């Protein structure tokens, strides 16, 4: 498993959030629980919050012994925890499953949310203060019909324990950031706290249940996540998709419109609401959403997702606009060139396709990924002979 860590001072004020300032609303937005059509679903059992961070007793004792031994050597708790997970989780592999701490340790795999939960479980044992950062990296998403699912990336901030000093006020919090499966080109998208992490656990499982058409479980997990982050636009988006899947179009539209009216927006929500507006032929609403999308600050990977989504709908002009914006923001990334190559190939522009794939191969540092791009290039021009 690959970890990275960064020493930090303060709250990393140099990182800018991608959240667009929200205009004040004249009325309080309705809660998501008020918008959901509860009569369509039955509550099912979901894991309790406490279960997420439970460690096996033997593992907890092993960790406490490690902490005590390293404290005697003068190590600070945040570095002790970092070193422990780096050595103990060395055999972990990335897997898309979202797991509790005990499950992740037992299976020796999981996604970044699972690893953040594991880290928090250890931090809880020694009372170490933590925070989180949400990152956007190469998008992991599924396009099913007109629905888009995008997974973001979490990393943990381990704060150095505060030492009380008479007459002094500390404004700077030293510590380390633990990044699970770090990748080139990750972009900071916002700070997060323990409630965000817990909500992400439940919402990831809700999305998985939704894809498996287990709608009662998706509903149960979604409403559980909502208790931790009631104003999360991603949960509004997931709830709207759930109602669309059970053919409750009125509630689908009401959830999207409520989020839209009260500036509870995300790229996922706006993209899916736009698809709904296109399906029902509401051109005025499509234009309103397009205006919001244009005003929303986006990192390169979010632009790639928007571009590929437009291309899948045959909207090549806006697709190229988004992908070219991604190239302008991050000309060193290979991914937008590959995305644009797909579009140019679909349009029959083989010369441009070749040039873009060749540029992607030049920029890509990972040998395996370069081989994938080279194979795509060979495949395209073999088919055309």
């Amino acid at each position: 498993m690959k970890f990275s860590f960064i020493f930090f001072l303060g709250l990393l004020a140099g990182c800018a959030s991608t959240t667009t300032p929200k205009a004040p609303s004249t009325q309080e937005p309705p809660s998501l629980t008020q918008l959901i059509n509860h009569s369509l679903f039955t509550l099912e059992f979901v894991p309790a919050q406490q279960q997420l961070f439970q460690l096996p007793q033997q593992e907890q004792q092993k960790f406490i012994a490690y902490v005590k031994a390293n404290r005697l050597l003068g190590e600070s708790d945040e570095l002790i925890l970092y070193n422990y997970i780096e050595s103990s989780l060395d055999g972990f592999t990335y897997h898309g499953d979202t797991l509790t701490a005990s499950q992740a340790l037992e299976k020796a795999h999981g996604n970044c949310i699972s690893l953040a939960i594991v880290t928090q479980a250890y931090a809880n044992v020694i009372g170490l203060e933590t925070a989180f950062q949400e990152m956007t990296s190469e998008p992991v998403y599924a396009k099913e019909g007109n629905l888009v699912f995008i997974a973001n990336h979490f990393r943990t901030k381990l704060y150095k324990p505060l030492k009380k000093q008479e007459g002094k006020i500390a404004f700077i919090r030293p510590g380390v950031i633990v990044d699970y499966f770090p990748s080139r080109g990750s972009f900071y998208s916002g700070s997060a706290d323990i409630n965000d992490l817990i909500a992400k656990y439940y919402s990831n499982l809700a999305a998985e249940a939704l894809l498996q058409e287990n709608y009662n479980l998706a509903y149960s997990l979604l409403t559980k996540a909502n208790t931790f982050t009631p104003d999360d636009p991603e949960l509004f988006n997931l709830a709207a998709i759930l109602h669309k899947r059970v053919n409750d179009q009125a509630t689908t539209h009401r959830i999207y419109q409520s989020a839209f009216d009260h500036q509870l927006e995300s790229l996922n929500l706006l993209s899916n609401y736009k698809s709904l507006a296109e399906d029902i032929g509401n051109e005025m609403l499509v234009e309103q959403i397009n205006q919001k999308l244009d005003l929303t600050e986006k990192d390169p990977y979010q632009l790639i997702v928007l571009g590929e989504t437009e291309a899948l709908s045959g909207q090549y002009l806006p697709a190229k606009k988004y992908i070219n914006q991604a190239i302008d923001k991050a000309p060193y990334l290979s991914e937008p060139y590959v995305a644009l190559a797909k579009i140019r190939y679909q349009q029959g522009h083989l010369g441009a396709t070749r040039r873009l794939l060749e540029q992607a191969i030049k920029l890509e540092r990972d040998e395996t990924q370069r081989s994938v791009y080279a194979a795509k290039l060979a495949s395209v021009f073999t088919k055309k002979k």
Side-chain angles (χ1 to χ4, degrees):
M1 177 180 181
K2 187 178 181 184
F3 282 101
S4 72
F5 73 95
I6 307 166
F7 286 95
F8 66 90
L9 297 175
L11 298 177
L12 299 177
C15 296
S17 171
T18 59
T19 303
T20 304
K22 296 175 180 177
S25 176
T26 56
Q27 61 184 116
E28 285 295 315
S31 69
L32 183 56
T33 54
Q34 291 175 303
L35 297 167
I36 288 174
N37 186 349
H38 299 277
S39 66
L40 297 175
F41 310 102
T42 302
L43 272 176
E44 294 189 358
F45 170 81
V46 299
Q49 172 191 349
Q50 293 78 8
Q51 289 180 258
L52 275 59
F53 304 105
Q54 287 179 349
L55 291 170
Q57 190 63 32
Q58 187 175 357
E59 176 60 25
Q60 186 170 320
Q61 291 173 352
K62 177 185 172 184
F63 175 60
I64 290 172
Y66 179 91
V67 171
K68 288 179 178 178
N70 283 273
R71 280 175 175 171
L72 291 174
L73 298 175
E75 286 285 354
S76 185
D77 281 2
E78 81 284 359
L79 288 176
I80 292 173
L81 176 49
Y82 173 81
N83 291 329
Y84 186 81
I85 61 175
E86 184 185 40
S87 60
S88 299
L89 306 185
D90 186 56
F92 263 59
T93 55
Y94 180 83
H95 194 282
D97 289 349
T98 301
L99 305 169
T100 67
S102 291
Q103 290 171 334
L105 290 173
E106 179 186 354
K107 297 174 182 292
H109 70 228
N111 58 18
C112 64
I113 299 300
S114 305
L115 270 294
I117 288 172
V118 169
T119 304
Q120 185 63 42
Y122 287 122
N124 288 348
V125 172
I126 57 175
L128 187 65
E129 189 178 352
T130 63
F132 304 91
Q133 292 180 343
E134 193 165 5
M135 312 292 291
T136 303
S137 55
E138 183 176 359
V140 180
Y141 72 102
K143 183 81 167 72
E144 296 205 350
N146 284 332
L147 305 180
V148 182
F149 297 91
I150 305 172
N152 276 14
H153 173 77
F154 260 53
R155 62 188 195 183
T156 303
K157 299 160 67 171
L158 305 176
Y159 286 117
K160 185 180 182 70
L162 286 172
K163 292 183 179 179
K164 293 183 180 180
Q165 296 181 345
E166 288 295 327
K168 292 186 178 181
I169 300 175
F171 290 100
I172 297 176
R173 293 295 308 275
V176 296
I177 293 177
V178 186
D179 199 351
Y180 317 97
F181 316 109
S183 62
R184 177 171 63 97
S186 291
F187 296 86
Y188 174 84
S189 64
S191 60
D193 60 22
I194 189 66
N195 286 331
D196 295 301
L197 176 63
I198 296 169
K200 191 67 70 175
Y201 169 85
Y202 290 115
S203 63
N204 277 9
L205 294 182
E208 184 178 321
L210 182 63
L211 290 172
Q212 294 172 354
E213 300 183 358
N214 190 341
Y215 299 135
N216 286 330
L217 181 57
Y219 160 77
S220 304
L221 290 160
L222 169 65
T223 52
K224 183 73 170 180
N226 184 243
T227 64
F228 294 95
T229 53
D231 296 326
D232 184 357
E234 300 297 351
L235 296 180
F236 279 75
N237 179 53
L238 195 58
I241 293 171
L242 174 61
H243 284 82
K244 185 173 183 180
R245 286 293 183 89
V246 296
N247 298 314
D248 184 351
Q249 302 299 329
T251 302
T252 300
H253 184 86
R254 186 165 64 249
I255 291 171
Y256 276 135
Q257 190 62 45
S258 177
F260 190 76
D261 288 343
H262 295 92
Q263 290 79 47
L264 299 178
E265 298 153 0
S266 70
L267 290 178
N268 289 354
L269 186 145
L270 290 172
S271 296
N272 286 325
Y273 194 23
K274 178 182 173 182
S275 293
L276 177 64
E278 289 171 340
D279 288 345
I280 63 177
N282 191 333
E283 295 182 6
M284 182 179 297
L285 180 57
V286 170
E287 181 55 32
Q288 289 175 340
I289 297 171
N290 278 333
Q291 290 174 8
K292 289 270 191 177
L293 284 169
D294 288 340
L295 292 172
T296 304
E297 180 65 24
K298 296 169 281 289
D299 69 50
Y301 288 115
Q302 292 171 322
L303 288 163
I304 292 171
V305 169
L306 286 172
E308 293 197 335
T309 301
E310 292 286 1
L312 285 168
S313 301
Q315 302 297 317
Y316 294 123
L317 190 60
K320 287 190 292 182
K321 179 190 76 172
Y322 286 127
I323 302 296
N324 279 317
Q325 287 176 5
I327 292 173
D328 290 342
K329 285 198 168 192
Y332 53 85
L333 292 178
S334 64
E335 290 87 354
Y337 292 94
V338 175
L340 189 55
K342 292 177 186 175
I343 295 170
R344 301 303 278 164
Y345 177 72
Q346 289 163 352
Q347 292 181 304
H349 299 294
L350 297 187
T353 302
R354 178 191 292 274
R355 288 191 296 274
L356 288 162
L357 286 175
E358 288 174 344
Q359 181 65 11
I361 292 169
K362 287 180 185 177
L363 291 170
E364 181 55 57
R365 294 185 297 183
D366 182 81
E367 186 175 345
T368 302
Q369 195 60 47
R370 280 202 308 272
S371 298
V372 171
Y373 295 160
K376 285 183 179 180
L377 181 61
S379 174
V380 165
F381 290 95
T382 299
K383 289 177 182 177
K384 289 296 177 180
K385 287 181 179 179

